[in-house]
Amino acid sequence: TQLLEQSPQFLSIQEGENLTVYCNSSSVFSSLQWYRQEPGEGPVLLVTVVTGGEVKKLKRLTFQFGDARKDSSLHITAAQPGDTGLYLCAGYANTGNQFYFGTGTSLTVIP
Amino acid sequence: DAGVIQSPRHEVTEMGQEVTLRCKPISGHNSLFWYRQTMMRGLELLIYFNNNVPIDDSGMPEDRFSAKMPNASFSTLKIQPSEPRDSAVYFCASRLDSWVVRGTEAFFGQGTRLTVV
């Protein structure tokens, strides 16, 4: 198991605020994914980052993969109530096809 | 496609009973994963199949847990005997993997919420 620590664990903010979620590990990953999970559902993929230093934007969400491919961040601009959910990073091991999930960040955006 | 289908959605059983969770992956996907999710431990990978063959079962907690994939369209996760600490949401996910393209999207089912009393 390759441990991925996410911070913060819980985050409650007002609509319109910005936030950043971090995903850190001591292991190197060949790629990293971010998922969002809503209550009663399974995780749904938001983005995959592959190259160290890569930055991807998805509307108000910005994802960055660390240069050493050990960490990643998710930045949300002008958060909306619809962004509420559990955000999970998942690292793709260099050997094998397994994905290991981070500890998760539960985000609540208050209208 | 209907996506990954898991059954049952909810299961309540008494300690010591056998529990079988079922998963139908997306047609054409060649990798299947079983995960367990709890508040304390998050999403844990239990076992991973590729082309119906178990590749990594190092996450299976104990001998009470077993998983099978008799064909490309069906997998089961069995707990026998079940214990209260097995209470969790169990997810099945499938993915199309190839040696050329790695890190593709995993599609999750809606999960089975298991409560062992």
Side-chain angles (χ1 to χ4, degrees):
Chain A
T1 300
Q2 300 172 54
L3 188 62
L4 282 155
E5 292 281 352
Q6 287 185 237
S7 61
Q9 187 177 0
F10 298 97
L11 189 55
S12 181
I13 62 171
Q14 294 289 330
E15 181 176 0
E17 292 184 353
N18 302 332
L19 67 112
T20 302
V21 176
Y22 299 93
C23 172
N24 295 295
S25 176
S26 57
S27 302
V28 176
F29 295 99
S30 59
S31 65
L32 192 139
Q33 296 183 331
W34 284 92
Y35 288 78
R36 187 174 80 189
Q37 183 180 16
E38 297 187 5
E41 302 292 331
V44 175
L45 180 69
L46 295 173
V47 77
T48 300
V49 286
V50 178
T51 306
E54 181 178 3
V55 177
K56 277 192 174 179
K57 291 192 175 183
L58 187 68
K59 297 183 180 178
R60 294 177 294 101
L61 278 60
T62 301
F63 304 85
Q64 185 164 7
F65 201 11
D67 291 340
R69 306 206 314 276
K70 292 183 179 181
D71 55 86
S72 180
S73 64
L74 158 61
H75 182 78
I76 301 179
T77 303
Q80 299 177 0
D83 296 327
T84 294
L86 178 66
Y87 288 81
L88 296 155
C89 63
Y92 193 106
N94 276 327
T95 58
N97 286 327
Q98 298 92 317
F99 261 105
Y100 298 96
F101 279 87
T103 47
T105 294
S106 179
L107 170 66
T108 302
V109 181
I110 303 167
Chain B
D1 200 314
V4 176
I5 300 173
Q6 290 186 246
S7 64
R9 287 295 310 276
H10 302 274
E11 176 82 36
V12 180
T13 190
E14 291 185 347
M15 182 174 63
Q17 296 297 308
E18 177 180 296
V19 176
T20 299
L21 311 181
R22 297 172 176 79
C23 175
K24 182 181 188 305
I26 291 174
S27 177
H29 283 187
N30 57 0
S31 288
L32 184 139
F33 306 82
W34 281 101
Y35 287 90
R36 177 172 68 176
Q37 187 173 38
T38 61
M39 284 292 292
M40 291 297 294
R41 302 175 68 88
L43 257 176
E44 301 173 276
L45 176 63
L46 300 178
I47 187 168
Y48 151 58
F49 292 88
N50 182 253
N51 293 323
N52 312 336
V53 176
I55 304 299
D56 182 1
D57 64 354
S58 59
M60 296 286 264
E62 312 172 19
D63 291 345
R64 299 184 297 106
F65 285 69
S66 62
K68 293 182 180 180
M69 192 165 186
N71 57 62
S73 60
F74 184 64
S75 177
T76 60
L77 177 68
K78 185 177 293 186
I79 308 172
Q80 165 64 18
S82 59
E83 297 182 3
R85 60 195 170 113
D86 300 331
S87 297
V89 181
Y90 290 80
F91 285 101
C92 174
S94 73
R95 195 173 70 192
L96 177 60
D97 284 327
S98 72
W99 290 109
V100 176
V101 179
R102 302 182 76 197
T104 54
E105 179 176 1
F107 293 84
F108 283 77
Q110 290 185 298
T112 295
R113 180 173 294 278
L114 173 65
T115 303
V116 183
V117 297

